[in-house]
Every structure is written in structure tokens, then in C-alpha cells.
Amino acid sequence: MNGWLAAATALLVCGVGPAAYGVVTGPVHRRIAAQNLTTTLVSLVLLLLAQGYARPAYVDTALLLAVLGPAGTLVYVRLLAPDVAERPPRPRRLRALTLTNYVAVAAVTLPLCAAAGPGRSLAKLLVIAVLLGLGSHVTARAMTAGPGGPADDETSPDGPAPDGPVTGGRVTGGASTDGPVTGAPADDGRTPGGPVTDGPVDDRRAPGDPVTDGPTYDGQPPGAPLTNGPAAGGPGAGR
């Protein structure tokens, strides 16, 4: 057994084994991330085996897996989007897993490129490394972005919509009034809940007194009934 086969065996036992265990256990977002990591590690194992056994055909298998693996992961992200949105992955863990993919790809492909030398094999190794790195990056972005983003807030900026209907008037502060809102403006002189009449309101009258249609004389005390003749103290009094 040469060093390439020893590295492939170590990566298969210490990398692919735990990643495959993560595929079959845990929440959905962890399974998808573990599936992407398993694809990357299996591709690297195939590259190491191709170098250790001198089988260039294994490189073509690794290239095919590097193309189809990330595409399959994106399909799972799309199909399982509701489950991923229900329990989204933690950004720090997802970034750490993506960084692990980058480190594993660089640690395996760089020595293989040095051993292969210039030629067609070197070009294939570089393409596989780029595909695996881009696949990990795109998968991480797809899992964090989600299918539709955050839900739109239907409430108004001033606050929640009032429970009761709003008629005629304008609601202030986001809360509705207890009574109906009439089209006539409120009178400062009347008591709360009192009726609004067509005539002018006497500011000097007592709260709760009825409002008459006739004008009020300056010499008449508040609350006194209105007469047809001139009030006492007014013009023509004492005649």
C-alpha cells in the first residue's frame, strides 16, 4: 500500500463515514449539508484511488460525481424547502462546513496536481476542484437564502388595524373609537356624548342644558328660558 491508498483509506473512514451518518440522522438541513459533504469526500477518495492504483478512469468518475453531486443537492434543497425553512441551519455551522469542504479539496487536489504534472490529467484535477468548491458555495447560499424570503408584514406602520369598523371619520393612533364617528365636527362646548344640533352653542350655558334655535342675549343669565321680548337689562327695559 502506497501513500495515496493510505490517504484514501483514512479519508474514507474518518471523513465519508461520519458524513454518511449525518445524511441518515438529524434534521433536514443537516442531512442536506452532510449529503453535499459526502459527495465532495467521495470524489476526493476516487481521485486518490486513481493515483494510487494508476487508474485514470477513476478520475472521470470523480469528474462526473463533481458535476452531478451539487446539482442533486440543489434539487433536495428545492424539494425540502418547507422543512429547511421550518428549522433553518445555523449560519456559523454552515460556514464551518463549507470551509471544511474547501480545505479538503485543496489538501487533496494540490498534491495530486503536483504529482500529475502538466497535461490533461492536471486540467481534469483543476476542473474537479473548481466544481467541488463552487458546488459547496452554491449549496450553502441556497440553504441560507430560502425559497421566498421573509413574509411581508401586513400591519400598518402606525400599529395594528383597529378591531371595530371605521365610519366617516379618521382613526388616530391606530385605535378605533368606542362610538360611531359622525360627519359633523365635534363641538368644544358640548358635554361628552351629548347631541349635536344645527344651531350655535352657547359657551356660557350649563352642561346638559338644551340648545334653542334663537340667539342668546348678553344680559340673560345662563340657564334661563328664552322669551320673545327683550331681556332685562337690555334695550327697552323698564318701559
Side-chain angles (χ1 to χ4, degrees):
M1 179 181 290
N2 53 30
W4 302 109
L5 296 179
T9 303
L11 186 60
L12 185 64
V13 174
C14 301
V16 177
Y21 177 78
V23 174
V24 298
T25 59
V28 175
H29 65 82
R30 194 180 75 178
R31 295 184 181 187
I32 296 176
Q35 188 267 340
N36 183 65
L37 179 60
T38 303
T39 301
T40 302
L41 296 180
V42 171
S43 299
L44 298 178
V45 168
L46 290 174
L47 293 179
L48 292 173
L49 292 177
Q51 186 67 26
Y53 288 117
R55 299 289 181 87
Y58 292 170
V59 178
D60 296 335
T61 306
L63 177 60
L64 181 63
L65 187 59
V67 173
L68 298 180
T73 305
L74 293 177
V75 171
Y76 281 118
V77 171
R78 181 65 177 176
L79 294 178
L80 301 176
D83 296 330
V84 175
E86 183 179 357
R87 295 187 60 182
R90 296 182 179 180
R92 291 184 178 179
R93 291 185 178 181
L94 194 59
R95 284 194 297 266
L97 191 59
T98 305
L99 182 61
T100 302
N101 286 338
Y102 295 158
V103 172
V105 171
V108 173
T109 55
L110 290 180
L112 289 174
C113 290
R120 186 176 180 180
S121 299
L122 177 61
K124 286 185 178 181
L125 290 174
L126 293 178
V127 171
I128 291 173
V130 171
L131 289 176
L132 292 177
L134 289 178
S136 300
H137 176 72
V138 172
T139 301
R141 290 290 300 272
M143 293 182 63
T144 54
D152 296 334
D153 189 7
E154 296 181 357
T155 57
S156 61
D158 295 336
D163 296 333
V166 180
T167 58
R170 178 173 57 90
V171 179
T172 58
S176 60
T177 56
D178 295 334
V181 180
T182 59
D187 188 10
D188 297 335
R190 67 182 181 89
T191 56
V196 179
T197 59
D198 297 332
V201 179
D202 187 10
D203 295 337
R204 298 175 302 166
R205 65 184 178 88
D209 289 342
V211 180
T212 59
D213 295 333
T216 304
Y217 294 93
D218 296 336
Q220 185 178 2
L226 297 178
T227 60
N228 295 330
R239 294 181 182 179

PDB file of all heavy atoms in Angstrom, residues 11-25:
ATOM      1  N   LEU A  11      -9.282   8.930   4.571  1.00  0.00           N
ATOM      2  CA  LEU A  11     -10.372   9.852   4.239  1.00  0.00           C
ATOM      3  C   LEU A  11     -11.710   9.129   4.160  1.00  0.00           C
ATOM      4  O   LEU A  11     -12.746   9.684   4.545  1.00  0.00           O
ATOM      5  CB  LEU A  11     -10.068  10.551   2.906  1.00  0.00           C
ATOM      6  CG  LEU A  11     -11.026  11.658   2.472  1.00  0.00           C
ATOM      7  CD1 LEU A  11     -11.053  12.778   3.496  1.00  0.00           C
ATOM      8  CD2 LEU A  11     -10.617  12.201   1.100  1.00  0.00           C
ATOM      9  N   LEU A  12     -11.679   7.884   3.720  1.00  0.00           N
ATOM     10  CA  LEU A  12     -12.911   7.122   3.623  1.00  0.00           C
ATOM     11  C   LEU A  12     -13.461   6.783   5.000  1.00  0.00           C
ATOM     12  O   LEU A  12     -14.683   6.863   5.237  1.00  0.00           O
ATOM     13  CB  LEU A  12     -12.668   5.849   2.818  1.00  0.00           C
ATOM     14  CG  LEU A  12     -13.888   4.975   2.510  1.00  0.00           C
ATOM     15  CD1 LEU A  12     -14.866   5.731   1.623  1.00  0.00           C
ATOM     16  CD2 LEU A  12     -13.451   3.669   1.851  1.00  0.00           C
ATOM     17  N   VAL A  13     -12.578   6.435   5.925  1.00  0.00           N
ATOM     18  CA  VAL A  13     -13.030   6.029   7.260  1.00  0.00           C
ATOM     19  C   VAL A  13     -13.353   7.246   8.125  1.00  0.00           C
ATOM     20  O   VAL A  13     -14.393   7.297   8.794  1.00  0.00           O
ATOM     21  CB  VAL A  13     -11.960   5.140   7.926  1.00  0.00           C
ATOM     22  CG1 VAL A  13     -12.346   4.832   9.376  1.00  0.00           C
ATOM     23  CG2 VAL A  13     -11.766   3.851   7.142  1.00  0.00           C
ATOM     24  N   CYS A  14     -12.465   8.239   8.137  1.00  0.00           N
ATOM     25  CA  CYS A  14     -12.625   9.389   9.039  1.00  0.00           C
ATOM     26  C   CYS A  14     -13.486  10.504   8.456  1.00  0.00           C
ATOM     27  O   CYS A  14     -13.945  11.367   9.211  1.00  0.00           O
ATOM     28  CB  CYS A  14     -11.257   9.961   9.387  1.00  0.00           C
ATOM     29  SG  CYS A  14     -10.154   8.783  10.197  1.00  0.00           S
ATOM     30  N   GLY A  15     -13.711  10.496   7.143  1.00  0.00           N
ATOM     31  CA  GLY A  15     -14.489  11.562   6.530  1.00  0.00           C
ATOM     32  C   GLY A  15     -15.820  11.121   5.981  1.00  0.00           C
ATOM     33  O   GLY A  15     -16.875  11.636   6.375  1.00  0.00           O
ATOM     34  N   VAL A  16     -15.777  10.127   5.102  1.00  0.00           N
ATOM     35  CA  VAL A  16     -17.011   9.683   4.461  1.00  0.00           C
ATOM     36  C   VAL A  16     -17.926   8.993   5.458  1.00  0.00           C
ATOM     37  O   VAL A  16     -19.157   9.161   5.413  1.00  0.00           O
ATOM     38  CB  VAL A  16     -16.685   8.759   3.276  1.00  0.00           C
ATOM     39  CG1 VAL A  16     -17.964   8.231   2.636  1.00  0.00           C
ATOM     40  CG2 VAL A  16     -15.838   9.492   2.247  1.00  0.00           C
ATOM     41  N   GLY A  17     -17.372   8.229   6.390  1.00  0.00           N
ATOM     42  CA  GLY A  17     -18.197   7.536   7.381  1.00  0.00           C
ATOM     43  C   GLY A  17     -19.024   8.484   8.243  1.00  0.00           C
ATOM     44  O   GLY A  17     -20.262   8.365   8.294  1.00  0.00           O
ATOM     45  N   PRO A  18     -18.407   9.456   8.931  1.00  0.00           N
ATOM     46  CA  PRO A  18     -19.216  10.407   9.716  1.00  0.00           C
ATOM     47  C   PRO A  18     -20.174  11.243   8.862  1.00  0.00           C
ATOM     48  O   PRO A  18     -21.292  11.554   9.299  1.00  0.00           O
ATOM     49  CB  PRO A  18     -18.157  11.299  10.382  1.00  0.00           C
ATOM     50  CG  PRO A  18     -16.936  10.455  10.446  1.00  0.00           C
ATOM     51  CD  PRO A  18     -16.970   9.627   9.196  1.00  0.00           C
ATOM     52  N   ALA A  19     -19.747  11.611   7.639  1.00  0.00           N
ATOM     53  CA  ALA A  19     -20.647  12.393   6.777  1.00  0.00           C
ATOM     54  C   ALA A  19     -21.863  11.570   6.361  1.00  0.00           C
ATOM     55  O   ALA A  19     -22.993  12.083   6.320  1.00  0.00           O
ATOM     56  CB  ALA A  19     -19.892  12.882   5.548  1.00  0.00           C
ATOM     57  N   ALA A  20     -21.651  10.279   6.063  1.00  0.00           N
ATOM     58  CA  ALA A  20     -22.783   9.419   5.712  1.00  0.00           C
ATOM     59  C   ALA A  20     -23.714   9.218   6.901  1.00  0.00           C
ATOM     60  O   ALA A  20     -24.935   9.107   6.727  1.00  0.00           O
ATOM     61  CB  ALA A  20     -22.278   8.069   5.201  1.00  0.00           C
ATOM     62  N   TYR A  21     -23.164   9.172   8.096  1.00  0.00           N
ATOM     63  CA  TYR A  21     -24.017   9.069   9.284  1.00  0.00           C
ATOM     64  C   TYR A  21     -24.872  10.324   9.445  1.00  0.00           C
ATOM     65  O   TYR A  21     -26.027  10.259   9.852  1.00  0.00           O
ATOM     66  CB  TYR A  21     -23.153   8.855  10.527  1.00  0.00           C
ATOM     67  CG  TYR A  21     -23.940   8.820  11.810  1.00  0.00           C
ATOM     68  CD1 TYR A  21     -24.657   7.689  12.176  1.00  0.00           C
ATOM     69  CD2 TYR A  21     -23.955   9.931  12.670  1.00  0.00           C
ATOM     70  CE1 TYR A  21     -25.389   7.659  13.357  1.00  0.00           C
ATOM     71  CE2 TYR A  21     -24.680   9.898  13.846  1.00  0.00           C
ATOM     72  CZ  TYR A  21     -25.387   8.764  14.182  1.00  0.00           C
ATOM     73  OH  TYR A  21     -26.115   8.734  15.357  1.00  0.00           O
ATOM     74  N   GLY A  22     -24.323  11.493   9.111  1.00  0.00           N
ATOM     75  CA  GLY A  22     -25.105  12.726   9.176  1.00  0.00           C
ATOM     76  C   GLY A  22     -26.200  12.785   8.134  1.00  0.00           C
ATOM     77  O   GLY A  22     -27.193  13.497   8.315  1.00  0.00           O
ATOM     78  N   VAL A  23     -26.049  12.034   7.031  1.00  0.00           N
ATOM     79  CA  VAL A  23     -27.079  12.032   5.998  1.00  0.00           C
ATOM     80  C   VAL A  23     -28.344  11.332   6.483  1.00  0.00           C
ATOM     81  O   VAL A  23     -29.463  11.731   6.132  1.00  0.00           O
ATOM     82  CB  VAL A  23     -26.541  11.370   4.713  1.00  0.00           C
ATOM     83  CG1 VAL A  23     -27.637  11.219   3.671  1.00  0.00           C
ATOM     84  CG2 VAL A  23     -25.398  12.193   4.142  1.00  0.00           C
ATOM     85  N   VAL A  24     -28.195  10.294   7.302  1.00  0.00           N
ATOM     86  CA  VAL A  24     -29.345   9.480   7.708  1.00  0.00           C
ATOM     87  C   VAL A  24     -29.894   9.874   9.076  1.00  0.00           C
ATOM     88  O   VAL A  24     -30.897   9.303   9.523  1.00  0.00           O
ATOM     89  CB  VAL A  24     -28.964   7.983   7.714  1.00  0.00           C
ATOM     90  CG1 VAL A  24     -28.583   7.531   6.328  1.00  0.00           C
ATOM     91  CG2 VAL A  24     -27.823   7.709   8.692  1.00  0.00           C
ATOM     92  N   THR A  25     -29.294  10.810   9.765  1.00  0.00           N
ATOM     93  CA  THR A  25     -29.752  11.211  11.095  1.00  0.00           C
ATOM     94  C   THR A  25     -29.840  12.728  11.169  1.00  0.00           C
ATOM     95  O   THR A  25     -29.221  13.450  10.378  1.00  0.00           O
ATOM     96  CB  THR A  25     -28.801  10.713  12.198  1.00  0.00           C
ATOM     97  OG1 THR A  25     -27.486  11.251  11.961  1.00  0.00           O
ATOM     98  CG2 THR A  25     -28.725   9.191  12.219  1.00  0.00           C
TER      99      THR A  25
END
